[in-house]
């Protein structure tokens, strides 16, 4: 009965140690996966943001240069800059509008721009305060990045807004997040399976040690039984 109770206690102890090893293995793997996944996601997001902002700034710089060259005609009534959507070149796909001090959009297709929610009022307000502003907003349900640049002219402050579509960046980040989530779960499951197998092998020496300990205790008890009986009889 005693031997059976000791065996049950040893089995409970081994089972507890095994689950602890598996839990620690899974926890460490999970922490590593979360840190690496978050670092990768942040790095990709920052890279996409930096690239998109660079494209907007290149378009804004080109338009500013055009305004400087066209300065003699810039104030002439009816003058219109060729803004709108850019095709080809490093700034392809960006959209630009210019707002005069009176709040009028100096570009063709004003009606289309107004219907699309341009110019973006938050960026316009920030630029009128003298600051170059970059922010992510939604226009008509489409995620975009808006660069607002103040341009000082003799008759006041103009605001140049360059808009870039972020739909591709959002899809890329969503796909990356899905890959990281699925891959992370798969790696975590494999880590638990591997931890279970490793824990089973790691417990073999412990199990053998407990067996030898029980055998030693049983042999010692048997060997001491006769001397103890003699001592008890003498007492």
């Amino acid at each position: 009965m005693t031997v059976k109770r000791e065996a049950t206690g040893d089995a409970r102890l081994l089972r507890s140690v095994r689950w602890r090893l598996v839990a620690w293995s899974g926890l460490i793997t999970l922490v590593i996966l979360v840190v690496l996944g978050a670092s990768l996601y942040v790095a990709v997001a920052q890279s996409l943001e930096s690239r998109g902002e660079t494209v907007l700034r290149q378009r804004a710089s080109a338009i500013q240069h055009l305004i400087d060259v066209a300065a003699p005609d810039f104030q002439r009534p009816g003058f219109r800059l060729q803004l709108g959507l850019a095709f080809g070149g490093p700034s392809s796909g960006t959209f630009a509008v210019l707002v005069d001090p009176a709040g009028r959009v100096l570009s063709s297709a004003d009606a289309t721009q107004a219907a699309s929610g341009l110019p973006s009022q938050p960026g316009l307000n920030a630029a009128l305060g003298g600051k170059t502003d970059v922010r992510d907003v939604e226009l008509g349900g489409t995620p975009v990045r808006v660069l607002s640049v103040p341009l000082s002219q003799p008759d006041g402050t103009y605001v140049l807004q360059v808009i870039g579509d972020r739909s591709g960046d959002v899809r890329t980040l969503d796909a990356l997040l899905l890959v990281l989530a699925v891959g992370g779960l798969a790696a975590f499951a494999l880590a638990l399976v591997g931890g279970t197998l490793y824990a089973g092998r790691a417990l073999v020496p412990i199990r053998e040690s407990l067996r030898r300990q029980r055998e030693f205790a049983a042999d010692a008890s048997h060997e001491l039984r006769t001397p103890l009986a003699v001592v008890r009889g003498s007492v």
Side-chain angles (χ1 to χ4, degrees):
M1 185 69 179
T2 302
V3 175
K4 184 177 181 180
R5 188 182 301 112
E6 290 179 351
T8 303
D10 291 345
R12 188 181 300 111
L13 175 62
L14 292 174
R15 187 164 53 250
S16 175
V17 172
R18 182 172 186 172
W19 283 117
R20 288 181 182 180
L21 290 175
V22 173
W24 275 108
S25 175
L27 180 61
I28 293 174
T29 303
L30 181 62
V31 170
I32 293 175
L33 290 174
V34 169
V35 171
L36 290 179
S39 300
L40 179 60
Y41 185 87
V42 171
V44 172
Q46 290 179 345
S47 176
L48 292 174
E49 181 179 356
S50 177
R51 186 189 65 180
E53 186 174 335
T54 299
V55 171
L56 298 182
R57 291 186 181 277
Q58 287 176 346
R59 178 82 190 276
S61 178
I63 295 174
Q64 284 181 275
H65 176 70
L66 180 61
I67 292 175
D68 293 338
V69 172
D73 299 325
F74 186 61
Q75 307 299 333
R76 179 169 54 82
F79 178 80
R80 289 292 183 268
L81 290 170
Q82 296 300 318
L83 300 174
L85 186 64
F87 292 96
S91 301
S92 180
T94 60
F95 195 90
V97 296
L98 185 66
V99 183
D100 68 5
R104 295 172 301 183
V105 177
L106 303 181
S107 177
S108 58
D110 293 352
T112 302
Q113 294 163 3
S116 301
L118 297 177
S120 175
Q121 196 61 41
L124 182 63
N125 295 335
L128 289 174
K131 298 180 179 179
T132 298
D133 181 78
V134 181
R135 65 181 64 215
D136 296 336
V137 299
E138 283 196 5
L139 296 178
T142 302
V144 298
R145 179 170 291 114
V146 181
L147 170 66
S148 304
V149 182
L151 303 176
S152 297
Q153 295 295 322
D155 59 334
T157 300
Y158 289 73
V159 176
L160 172 64
Q161 284 195 343
V162 184
I163 299 91
D165 189 359
R166 293 181 52 248
S167 300
D169 293 352
V170 172
R171 287 193 296 268
T172 298
L173 291 177
D174 289 344
L176 176 61
L177 187 61
L178 178 62
V179 170
L180 290 175
V182 174
L185 289 176
F188 180 66
L190 290 176
L192 291 179
V193 174
T196 302
L197 296 177
Y198 174 78
R201 292 187 177 184
L203 290 177
V204 171
I206 300 177
R207 188 180 294 107
E208 184 65 19
S209 176
L210 290 174
R211 185 186 64 80
R212 292 180 179 179
Q213 182 179 354
R214 286 197 305 271
E215 290 179 353
F216 173 78
D219 292 342
S221 176
H222 178 74
E223 295 296 332
L224 290 175
R225 186 173 303 166
T226 301
L228 287 175
V230 172
V231 172
R232 187 180 299 107
S234 300
V235 171

PDB file of all heavy atoms in Angstrom, residues 21 33 39 42 81 85 89 111 116 142 154 165-166 224 235:
ATOM      1  N   LEU A  21       7.478  22.334 -17.597  1.00  0.00           N
ATOM      2  CA  LEU A  21       8.471  22.454 -18.674  1.00  0.00           C
ATOM      3  C   LEU A  21       7.806  22.824 -20.001  1.00  0.00           C
ATOM      4  O   LEU A  21       8.298  23.676 -20.743  1.00  0.00           O
ATOM      5  CB  LEU A  21       9.238  21.132 -18.816  1.00  0.00           C
ATOM      6  CG  LEU A  21      10.207  20.778 -17.686  1.00  0.00           C
ATOM      7  CD1 LEU A  21      10.800  19.385 -17.919  1.00  0.00           C
ATOM      8  CD2 LEU A  21      11.322  21.808 -17.594  1.00  0.00           C
ATOM      9  N   LEU A  33       8.192  35.144 -30.378  1.00  0.00           N
ATOM     10  CA  LEU A  33       7.401  35.373 -31.586  1.00  0.00           C
ATOM     11  C   LEU A  33       6.723  36.745 -31.554  1.00  0.00           C
ATOM     12  O   LEU A  33       6.683  37.449 -32.574  1.00  0.00           O
ATOM     13  CB  LEU A  33       6.345  34.278 -31.731  1.00  0.00           C
ATOM     14  CG  LEU A  33       6.860  32.879 -32.087  1.00  0.00           C
ATOM     15  CD1 LEU A  33       5.718  31.872 -32.047  1.00  0.00           C
ATOM     16  CD2 LEU A  33       7.518  32.878 -33.460  1.00  0.00           C
ATOM     17  N   SER A  39       8.261  43.718 -33.987  1.00  0.00           N
ATOM     18  CA  SER A  39       9.384  44.477 -34.550  1.00  0.00           C
ATOM     19  C   SER A  39       9.312  44.496 -36.073  1.00  0.00           C
ATOM     20  O   SER A  39       9.522  45.540 -36.705  1.00  0.00           O
ATOM     21  CB  SER A  39      10.710  43.864 -34.100  1.00  0.00           C
ATOM     22  OG  SER A  39      10.822  43.877 -32.687  1.00  0.00           O
ATOM     23  N   VAL A  42       6.330  46.791 -37.187  1.00  0.00           N
ATOM     24  CA  VAL A  42       6.650  48.210 -37.019  1.00  0.00           C
ATOM     25  C   VAL A  42       7.665  48.660 -38.067  1.00  0.00           C
ATOM     26  O   VAL A  42       7.540  49.747 -38.645  1.00  0.00           O
ATOM     27  CB  VAL A  42       7.185  48.476 -35.592  1.00  0.00           C
ATOM     28  CG1 VAL A  42       7.737  49.886 -35.478  1.00  0.00           C
ATOM     29  CG2 VAL A  42       6.078  48.269 -34.575  1.00  0.00           C
ATOM     30  N   LEU A  81      -2.388  76.421 -62.344  1.00  0.00           N
ATOM     31  CA  LEU A  81      -1.278  75.473 -62.349  1.00  0.00           C
ATOM     32  C   LEU A  81      -1.784  74.105 -62.803  1.00  0.00           C
ATOM     33  O   LEU A  81      -2.945  73.751 -62.586  1.00  0.00           O
ATOM     34  CB  LEU A  81      -0.683  75.352 -60.942  1.00  0.00           C
ATOM     35  CG  LEU A  81       0.079  76.569 -60.417  1.00  0.00           C
ATOM     36  CD1 LEU A  81       0.393  76.373 -58.944  1.00  0.00           C
ATOM     37  CD2 LEU A  81       1.354  76.791 -61.203  1.00  0.00           C
ATOM     38  N   LEU A  85      -3.985  64.981 -60.674  1.00  0.00           N
ATOM     39  CA  LEU A  85      -3.371  63.662 -60.568  1.00  0.00           C
ATOM     40  C   LEU A  85      -2.118  63.575 -61.431  1.00  0.00           C
ATOM     41  O   LEU A  85      -2.106  64.022 -62.571  1.00  0.00           O
ATOM     42  CB  LEU A  85      -4.370  62.590 -60.999  1.00  0.00           C
ATOM     43  CG  LEU A  85      -3.945  61.128 -60.815  1.00  0.00           C
ATOM     44  CD1 LEU A  85      -3.757  60.801 -59.339  1.00  0.00           C
ATOM     45  CD2 LEU A  85      -4.997  60.202 -61.434  1.00  0.00           C
ATOM     46  N   GLY A  89       6.588  58.919 -63.518  1.00  0.00           N
ATOM     47  CA  GLY A  89       7.589  59.555 -62.682  1.00  0.00           C
ATOM     48  C   GLY A  89       7.532  59.063 -61.248  1.00  0.00           C
ATOM     49  O   GLY A  89       6.697  58.230 -60.874  1.00  0.00           O
ATOM     50  N   ALA A 111     -14.746  71.042 -59.030  1.00  0.00           N
ATOM     51  CA  ALA A 111     -15.943  70.344 -58.556  1.00  0.00           C
ATOM     52  C   ALA A 111     -15.616  68.926 -58.125  1.00  0.00           C
ATOM     53  O   ALA A 111     -16.109  68.431 -57.115  1.00  0.00           O
ATOM     54  CB  ALA A 111     -17.012  70.329 -59.659  1.00  0.00           C
ATOM     55  N   SER A 116     -14.644  65.203 -53.574  1.00  0.00           N
ATOM     56  CA  SER A 116     -13.778  64.188 -52.963  1.00  0.00           C
ATOM     57  C   SER A 116     -13.316  64.581 -51.567  1.00  0.00           C
ATOM     58  O   SER A 116     -12.535  63.866 -50.959  1.00  0.00           O
ATOM     59  CB  SER A 116     -12.546  63.951 -53.844  1.00  0.00           C
ATOM     60  OG  SER A 116     -12.935  63.523 -55.140  1.00  0.00           O
ATOM     61  N   THR A 142     -11.578  56.039 -48.420  1.00  0.00           N
ATOM     62  CA  THR A 142     -10.265  55.576 -48.888  1.00  0.00           C
ATOM     63  C   THR A 142      -9.177  56.130 -47.979  1.00  0.00           C
ATOM     64  O   THR A 142      -9.126  57.348 -47.746  1.00  0.00           O
ATOM     65  CB  THR A 142      -9.995  56.041 -50.332  1.00  0.00           C
ATOM     66  OG1 THR A 142     -11.028  55.539 -51.190  1.00  0.00           O
ATOM     67  CG2 THR A 142      -8.646  55.548 -50.816  1.00  0.00           C
ATOM     68  N   PRO A 154       3.323  87.283 -51.769  1.00  0.00           N
ATOM     69  CA  PRO A 154       3.060  88.679 -51.401  1.00  0.00           C
ATOM     70  C   PRO A 154       1.626  88.940 -50.957  1.00  0.00           C
ATOM     71  O   PRO A 154       1.386  89.795 -50.099  1.00  0.00           O
ATOM     72  CB  PRO A 154       3.388  89.448 -52.693  1.00  0.00           C
ATOM     73  CG  PRO A 154       4.389  88.585 -53.390  1.00  0.00           C
ATOM     74  CD  PRO A 154       3.982  87.180 -53.076  1.00  0.00           C
ATOM     75  N   ASP A 165      -2.544  57.862 -52.057  1.00  0.00           N
ATOM     76  CA  ASP A 165      -3.416  56.747 -51.677  1.00  0.00           C
ATOM     77  C   ASP A 165      -2.636  55.749 -50.825  1.00  0.00           C
ATOM     78  O   ASP A 165      -1.543  55.306 -51.196  1.00  0.00           O
ATOM     79  CB  ASP A 165      -3.955  56.065 -52.933  1.00  0.00           C
ATOM     80  CG  ASP A 165      -5.029  55.035 -52.613  1.00  0.00           C
ATOM     81  OD1 ASP A 165      -5.333  54.836 -51.428  1.00  0.00           O
ATOM     82  OD2 ASP A 165      -5.567  54.433 -53.564  1.00  0.00           O
ATOM     83  N   ARG A 166      -3.209  55.366 -49.666  1.00  0.00           N
ATOM     84  CA  ARG A 166      -2.573  54.414 -48.757  1.00  0.00           C
ATOM     85  C   ARG A 166      -3.207  53.029 -48.829  1.00  0.00           C
ATOM     86  O   ARG A 166      -2.877  52.162 -48.012  1.00  0.00           O
ATOM     87  CB  ARG A 166      -2.655  54.914 -47.317  1.00  0.00           C
ATOM     88  CG  ARG A 166      -1.863  56.159 -47.010  1.00  0.00           C
ATOM     89  CD  ARG A 166      -1.983  56.574 -45.538  1.00  0.00           C
ATOM     90  NE  ARG A 166      -1.680  55.472 -44.660  1.00  0.00           N
ATOM     91  CZ  ARG A 166      -2.588  54.868 -43.877  1.00  0.00           C
ATOM     92  NH1 ARG A 166      -3.857  55.241 -43.895  1.00  0.00           N
ATOM     93  NH2 ARG A 166      -2.233  53.878 -43.079  1.00  0.00           N
ATOM     94  N   LEU A 224      17.166  -3.136   7.930  1.00  0.00           N
ATOM     95  CA  LEU A 224      17.125  -2.631   9.301  1.00  0.00           C
ATOM     96  C   LEU A 224      16.038  -3.285  10.141  1.00  0.00           C
ATOM     97  O   LEU A 224      15.989  -3.088  11.357  1.00  0.00           O
ATOM     98  CB  LEU A 224      16.896  -1.108   9.287  1.00  0.00           C
ATOM     99  CG  LEU A 224      18.065  -0.258   8.787  1.00  0.00           C
ATOM    100  CD1 LEU A 224      17.654   1.197   8.709  1.00  0.00           C
ATOM    101  CD2 LEU A 224      19.275  -0.414   9.698  1.00  0.00           C
ATOM    102  N   VAL A 235      15.321  -4.027  24.625  1.00  0.00           N
ATOM    103  CA  VAL A 235      14.771  -2.929  25.457  1.00  0.00           C
ATOM    104  C   VAL A 235      13.586  -3.431  26.264  1.00  0.00           C
ATOM    105  O   VAL A 235      13.437  -3.105  27.427  1.00  0.00           O
ATOM    106  CB  VAL A 235      14.360  -1.749  24.547  1.00  0.00           C
ATOM    107  CG1 VAL A 235      13.604  -0.701  25.341  1.00  0.00           C
ATOM    108  CG2 VAL A 235      15.580  -1.139  23.900  1.00  0.00           C
TER     109      VAL A 235
END
